[in-house]
Amino acid sequence: MQRVTLTGGLIAALAVLFVAGTPTVARAADAAAGEKVYAAQKCSMCHSVAGKGGKSRPLDGVGSKFTAEQLKEWIVDPITAAKTHSSTKKPPMPKKYDKLPAADIDNLVAYMASLKK
């Protein structure tokens, strides 16, 4: 029987592949959890995704327009975000989602970031 020995380089390469693959899985799980937060917070009263929800503020493609940091700003400080991005939509988004648990905010950001055209 032949014995296979893993070199340090091979072990490092395998570790990189394992770690590199993990964020994709985690992001998918976060986005799925964020979709649940979106539903629980009744975001579809004002916003729509894939044609479902409030027609005046569609979120389709928002993940292509804004960075995760910008999406988070829209969620936790929409007044500042509206000024920064010259939004004139009325009424402005209420500043109440900053009180959500940090994990819910992060998951909601992951969901928004996944909405690409």
Side-chain angles (χ1 to χ4, degrees), residues 57 70-99:
R57 294 197 172 107
Q70 291 168 326
L71 292 168
K72 185 172 183 174
E73 181 182 26
W74 275 106
I75 294 166
V76 300
D77 192 0
I79 308 300
T80 299
K83 290 176 186 173
T84 301
H85 301 286
S86 303
S87 175
T88 58
K89 297 261 184 178
K90 300 288 180 194
M93 191 164 122
K95 185 179 181 339
K96 65 179 187 178
Y97 302 104
D98 59 331
K99 294 171 182 57

